[in-house]
Amino acid sequence: MELNSMQSKMIRVGIIGADTKASWAGAAHVPALAAQPQFVLAAVATRHEQSAREAAGVFGAERWYGDPLELIHDPSIDLVTVAVKVPAHRDLVLPALAANKAVYSESPLGATVAQAEEMAEAAGSLHTAIGLQGRLNPSVRRAAEIINTGRLGRLLSARVAATTFGNGPESVSAYEYFDKAATGAGFLTIAAGHVLDVVEAVLGDVTEVDARTELLWPEVKLMDTGATSVREVPDHLDAILKTSSGASVGVQILAGVPPTDAAFGLEVRGSDGWLRLTGNHPAGVQVGDLTLSSSVDFAAPDRPVATGAGPTAAKIWNGASINVGEVYASLARDIANGTHHTPGFGHAVHNSRLMARVERAARTGTRQ
């Protein structure tokens, strides 16, 4: 089916990874879709029939599949959302693209830069979206507009302080894979990747990187089993960036920060004024809403199309649908109009390459 035929009709979405137990899909994607009448949750898939059946009942999906490939090959599905662990992305994204589906994948797209490049090339002219949703937050979009129209004058400097409750001294066995280098799903590619993507959304592409990483907690206690896991990847980042807007940016990202102490702040100073983006979601800048303040007048950011979290989500995921909802809204416009404005797999490659540059700068001590 040509995607252009989806104009003026419902976009039928199939979510892979939408189980009812602590899934990101259930916390963010399900309520993001429910808030928008142009979408229908047509199917869910997990690796097990029982969990898939339960998810369909709880989330209101029309059908369920115990085999994700069956969902992908369902001819009634227009858009496949891949919300599973990063190492499994490639084996689901490539068949979905081969089936001529639009695809929304969580970030990072691949476990390696090469995998991301392979999937981006396979996408061709199909509609894709990458889960770097923070850049589509309404306050981020308005901040970018203020800067792009020159309201702050010559940009002088910026600084970023960001936190996440993840990647700290304690974890659970289900999240142990975040600490293994081979998965490509560690602190740098996820927590730092989201932060630097928001920086680029506001201040333009990163043109130079100086970075230092630390491994503060090489041993991680798994609270559900009492076992100790070995962390193989960094859990702290300090960086100095140069951006295409001319602003130099100092960045510090802290992991293992208690939810009560969570904070994100991006402050930009120019010759004619300043702006700040602030937030306090425990999981990081990409999850919750952000507040914009500035010394210059600006139109209030647009109201988010979605709010809240899914019916089975833990309280900590409140607001998880806000930025994900903006991605879906953008993707729906692209599908209806035949445009490609939504950050897709090409942008996913850009972000993966950026984080590889950060890692290389930290490892070699050489500016990238």
Side-chain angles (χ1 to χ4, degrees), residues 235-273:
D235 48 27
H236 179 91
L237 173 67
D238 293 286
I240 299 173
L241 316 173
K242 187 174 181 180
T243 59
S244 60
S245 64
S248 172
V249 190
V251 178
Q252 184 172 72
I253 308 175
L254 305 175
V257 173
T260 51
D261 295 335
F264 171 82
L266 164 60
E267 180 175 348
V268 183
R269 292 207 166 260
S271 58
D272 298 336

Short mmCIF file of all heavy atoms in Angstrom, two decimals, residues 235-273:
data_model
loop_
_atom_site.label_atom_id
_atom_site.label_comp_id
_atom_site.label_asym_id
_atom_site.label_seq_id
_atom_site.Cartn_x
_atom_site.Cartn_y
_atom_site.Cartn_z
N ASP A 235 29.29 6.53 33.16
CA ASP A 235 28.05 6.95 33.80
C ASP A 235 28.10 8.43 34.20
O ASP A 235 27.33 8.88 35.03
CB ASP A 235 27.71 6.07 35.01
CG ASP A 235 28.88 5.87 35.95
OD1 ASP A 235 29.77 6.75 35.99
OD2 ASP A 235 28.94 4.82 36.63
N HIS A 236 29.00 9.18 33.58
CA HIS A 236 29.11 10.62 33.85
C HIS A 236 29.75 11.28 32.63
O HIS A 236 30.64 10.71 32.00
CB HIS A 236 29.98 10.89 35.08
CG HIS A 236 30.14 12.35 35.40
ND1 HIS A 236 29.30 13.02 36.25
CD2 HIS A 236 31.04 13.27 34.96
CE1 HIS A 236 29.67 14.29 36.34
NE2 HIS A 236 30.73 14.45 35.56
N LEU A 237 29.28 12.50 32.31
CA LEU A 237 29.85 13.23 31.17
C LEU A 237 30.02 14.71 31.50
O LEU A 237 29.10 15.36 32.01
CB LEU A 237 28.95 13.11 29.94
CG LEU A 237 29.35 13.96 28.72
CD1 LEU A 237 30.67 13.47 28.13
CD2 LEU A 237 28.25 13.94 27.65
N ASP A 238 31.21 15.22 31.20
CA ASP A 238 31.46 16.66 31.14
C ASP A 238 31.93 16.95 29.71
O ASP A 238 32.78 16.22 29.18
CB ASP A 238 32.57 17.08 32.11
CG ASP A 238 32.15 16.92 33.56
OD1 ASP A 238 31.35 17.74 34.03
OD2 ASP A 238 32.63 15.98 34.21
N ALA A 239 31.39 17.98 29.10
CA ALA A 239 31.76 18.29 27.72
C ALA A 239 31.73 19.78 27.47
O ALA A 239 30.97 20.52 28.10
CB ALA A 239 30.83 17.58 26.73
N ILE A 240 32.57 20.21 26.53
CA ILE A 240 32.52 21.57 26.00
C ILE A 240 32.29 21.43 24.50
O ILE A 240 33.03 20.74 23.80
CB ILE A 240 33.83 22.34 26.27
CG1 ILE A 240 34.08 22.46 27.78
CG2 ILE A 240 33.77 23.73 25.63
CD1 ILE A 240 35.42 23.05 28.13
N LEU A 241 31.23 22.06 24.03
CA LEU A 241 30.82 21.94 22.64
C LEU A 241 30.90 23.28 21.95
O LEU A 241 30.67 24.32 22.57
CB LEU A 241 29.38 21.43 22.54
CG LEU A 241 28.96 20.28 23.44
CD1 LEU A 241 27.46 20.04 23.32
CD2 LEU A 241 29.73 19.00 23.08
N LYS A 242 31.17 23.26 20.67
CA LYS A 242 30.98 24.44 19.83
C LYS A 242 29.83 24.11 18.88
O LYS A 242 29.75 23.00 18.36
CB LYS A 242 32.24 24.78 19.05
CG LYS A 242 32.13 26.10 18.28
CD LYS A 242 33.45 26.48 17.62
CE LYS A 242 33.31 27.81 16.89
NZ LYS A 242 34.58 28.21 16.24
N THR A 243 28.92 25.07 18.68
CA THR A 243 27.74 24.82 17.85
C THR A 243 27.73 25.73 16.63
O THR A 243 28.40 26.76 16.61
CB THR A 243 26.45 25.04 18.66
OG1 THR A 243 26.42 26.39 19.14
CG2 THR A 243 26.37 24.07 19.82
N SER A 244 26.94 25.34 15.63
CA SER A 244 26.91 26.09 14.38
C SER A 244 26.35 27.49 14.55
O SER A 244 26.57 28.36 13.70
CB SER A 244 26.11 25.32 13.33
OG SER A 244 24.78 25.12 13.75
N SER A 245 25.62 27.73 15.65
CA SER A 245 25.10 29.08 15.92
C SER A 245 26.18 30.02 16.45
O SER A 245 25.95 31.22 16.58
CB SER A 245 23.96 29.01 16.94
OG SER A 245 24.46 28.54 18.18
N GLY A 246 27.34 29.45 16.78
CA GLY A 246 28.43 30.24 17.33
C GLY A 246 28.57 30.14 18.82
O GLY A 246 29.58 30.57 19.39
N ALA A 247 27.56 29.58 19.49
CA ALA A 247 27.60 29.49 20.95
C ALA A 247 28.50 28.35 21.40
O ALA A 247 28.43 27.24 20.87
CB ALA A 247 26.19 29.30 21.50
N SER A 248 29.31 28.62 22.40
CA SER A 248 30.05 27.59 23.11
C SER A 248 29.17 27.09 24.25
O SER A 248 28.49 27.88 24.90
CB SER A 248 31.35 28.17 23.67
OG SER A 248 32.00 27.25 24.52
N VAL A 249 29.14 25.77 24.46
CA VAL A 249 28.23 25.17 25.43
C VAL A 249 28.99 24.29 26.41
O VAL A 249 29.70 23.38 25.98
CB VAL A 249 27.14 24.31 24.74
CG1 VAL A 249 26.07 23.90 25.73
CG2 VAL A 249 26.53 25.04 23.55
N GLY A 250 28.84 24.56 27.70
CA GLY A 250 29.37 23.67 28.72
C GLY A 250 28.27 22.73 29.18
O GLY A 250 27.16 23.17 29.48
N VAL A 251 28.57 21.44 29.22
CA VAL A 251 27.55 20.42 29.53
C VAL A 251 28.04 19.54 30.67
O VAL A 251 29.19 19.06 30.65
CB VAL A 251 27.25 19.54 28.30
CG1 VAL A 251 26.23 18.46 28.64
CG2 VAL A 251 26.78 20.37 27.12
N GLN A 252 27.16 19.28 31.65
CA GLN A 252 27.43 18.26 32.65
C GLN A 252 26.17 17.42 32.82
O GLN A 252 25.08 17.96 33.02
CB GLN A 252 27.84 18.86 34.00
CG GLN A 252 28.22 17.77 35.02
CD GLN A 252 28.81 18.36 36.29
OE1 GLN A 252 28.10 18.94 37.09
NE2 GLN A 252 30.12 18.20 36.47
N ILE A 253 26.34 16.10 32.72
CA ILE A 253 25.21 15.18 32.86
C ILE A 253 25.52 14.20 33.97
O ILE A 253 26.53 13.49 33.93
CB ILE A 253 24.91 14.43 31.54
CG1 ILE A 253 24.77 15.43 30.39
CG2 ILE A 253 23.64 13.59 31.68
CD1 ILE A 253 24.60 14.78 29.03
N LEU A 254 24.64 14.18 34.98
CA LEU A 254 24.83 13.36 36.17
C LEU A 254 23.86 12.17 36.14
O LEU A 254 22.66 12.36 35.88
CB LEU A 254 24.56 14.18 37.43
CG LEU A 254 25.34 15.48 37.60
CD1 LEU A 254 24.86 16.22 38.84
CD2 LEU A 254 26.83 15.19 37.69
N ALA A 255 24.35 10.99 36.45
CA ALA A 255 23.51 9.80 36.55
C ALA A 255 23.29 9.44 38.02
O ALA A 255 23.94 9.97 38.92
CB ALA A 255 24.18 8.63 35.83
N GLY A 256 22.32 8.56 38.23
CA GLY A 256 22.06 8.07 39.58
C GLY A 256 21.56 9.13 40.54
O GLY A 256 21.76 9.02 41.75
N VAL A 257 20.87 10.16 40.00
CA VAL A 257 20.37 11.25 40.85
C VAL A 257 18.97 10.90 41.34
O VAL A 257 18.10 10.53 40.55
CB VAL A 257 20.34 12.58 40.05
CG1 VAL A 257 19.67 13.67 40.86
CG2 VAL A 257 21.76 12.98 39.66
N PRO A 258 18.71 10.99 42.65
CA PRO A 258 17.38 10.65 43.17
C PRO A 258 16.29 11.47 42.49
O PRO A 258 16.51 12.65 42.16
CB PRO A 258 17.48 10.99 44.66
CG PRO A 258 18.94 10.97 44.98
CD PRO A 258 19.64 11.40 43.73
N PRO A 259 15.12 10.86 42.28
CA PRO A 259 14.02 11.58 41.62
C PRO A 259 13.71 12.95 42.24
O PRO A 259 13.37 13.90 41.52
CB PRO A 259 12.84 10.62 41.75
CG PRO A 259 13.47 9.27 41.76
CD PRO A 259 14.76 9.44 42.52
N THR A 260 13.84 13.06 43.55
CA THR A 260 13.51 14.33 44.21
C THR A 260 14.51 15.44 43.86
O THR A 260 14.21 16.62 44.04
CB THR A 260 13.48 14.15 45.73
OG1 THR A 260 14.70 13.49 46.15
CG2 THR A 260 12.29 13.31 46.15
N ASP A 261 15.69 15.06 43.38
CA ASP A 261 16.71 16.04 43.03
C ASP A 261 16.84 16.25 41.52
O ASP A 261 17.75 16.94 41.06
CB ASP A 261 18.08 15.61 43.58
CG ASP A 261 18.12 15.58 45.10
OD1 ASP A 261 17.33 16.31 45.72
OD2 ASP A 261 18.92 14.80 45.66
N ALA A 262 15.95 15.66 40.74
CA ALA A 262 16.05 15.73 39.28
C ALA A 262 15.97 17.16 38.79
O ALA A 262 15.17 17.96 39.29
CB ALA A 262 14.92 14.91 38.65
N ALA A 263 16.80 17.48 37.80
CA ALA A 263 16.77 18.84 37.24
C ALA A 263 17.42 18.85 35.87
O ALA A 263 18.44 18.19 35.64
CB ALA A 263 17.50 19.82 38.15
N PHE A 264 16.80 19.61 34.97
CA PHE A 264 17.42 19.91 33.68
C PHE A 264 17.41 21.42 33.52
O PHE A 264 16.41 22.09 33.82
CB PHE A 264 16.66 19.29 32.51
CG PHE A 264 17.15 19.77 31.16
CD1 PHE A 264 18.27 19.20 30.59
CD2 PHE A 264 16.52 20.82 30.51
CE1 PHE A 264 18.76 19.67 29.37
CE2 PHE A 264 17.00 21.29 29.29
CZ PHE A 264 18.11 20.71 28.71
N GLY A 265 18.51 21.95 33.04
CA GLY A 265 18.56 23.38 32.76
C GLY A 265 19.44 23.65 31.56
O GLY A 265 20.56 23.14 31.48
N LEU A 266 18.94 24.45 30.63
CA LEU A 266 19.73 24.95 29.50
C LEU A 266 19.57 26.46 29.51
O LEU A 266 18.46 26.98 29.37
CB LEU A 266 19.23 24.38 28.18
CG LEU A 266 19.71 25.08 26.88
CD1 LEU A 266 21.22 25.06 26.76
CD2 LEU A 266 19.06 24.45 25.66
N GLU A 267 20.67 27.17 29.71
CA GLU A 267 20.65 28.63 29.72
C GLU A 267 21.51 29.14 28.58
O GLU A 267 22.67 28.74 28.44
CB GLU A 267 21.17 29.18 31.05
CG GLU A 267 21.16 30.71 31.11
CD GLU A 267 21.56 31.27 32.46
OE1 GLU A 267 21.62 30.48 33.43
OE2 GLU A 267 21.80 32.49 32.55
N VAL A 268 20.94 30.01 27.76
CA VAL A 268 21.64 30.60 26.62
C VAL A 268 21.74 32.09 26.83
O VAL A 268 20.73 32.75 27.13
CB VAL A 268 20.90 30.31 25.30
CG1 VAL A 268 21.70 30.88 24.12
CG2 VAL A 268 20.65 28.82 25.12
N ARG A 269 22.93 32.64 26.68
CA ARG A 269 23.13 34.09 26.82
C ARG A 269 23.61 34.67 25.49
O ARG A 269 24.52 34.14 24.86
CB ARG A 269 24.14 34.41 27.92
CG ARG A 269 23.61 34.05 29.30
CD ARG A 269 24.22 34.88 30.41
NE ARG A 269 23.41 34.70 31.63
CZ ARG A 269 22.51 35.57 32.05
NH1 ARG A 269 22.26 36.67 31.35
NH2 ARG A 269 21.83 35.34 33.16
N GLY A 270 22.96 35.77 25.11
CA GLY A 270 23.37 36.49 23.91
C GLY A 270 23.64 37.94 24.24
O GLY A 270 23.42 38.39 25.37
N SER A 271 24.08 38.68 23.25
CA SER A 271 24.40 40.09 23.48
C SER A 271 23.16 40.91 23.81
O SER A 271 23.26 41.97 24.44
CB SER A 271 25.09 40.66 22.24
OG SER A 271 24.26 40.52 21.10
N ASP A 272 21.97 40.41 23.42
CA ASP A 272 20.75 41.17 23.63
C ASP A 272 19.76 40.51 24.59
O ASP A 272 18.62 40.95 24.71
CB ASP A 272 20.04 41.41 22.29
CG ASP A 272 20.88 42.23 21.33
OD1 ASP A 272 21.76 42.98 21.80
OD2 ASP A 272 20.67 42.10 20.10
N GLY A 273 20.17 39.43 25.26
CA GLY A 273 19.24 38.79 26.19
C GLY A 273 19.59 37.34 26.48
O GLY A 273 20.65 36.86 26.07
#
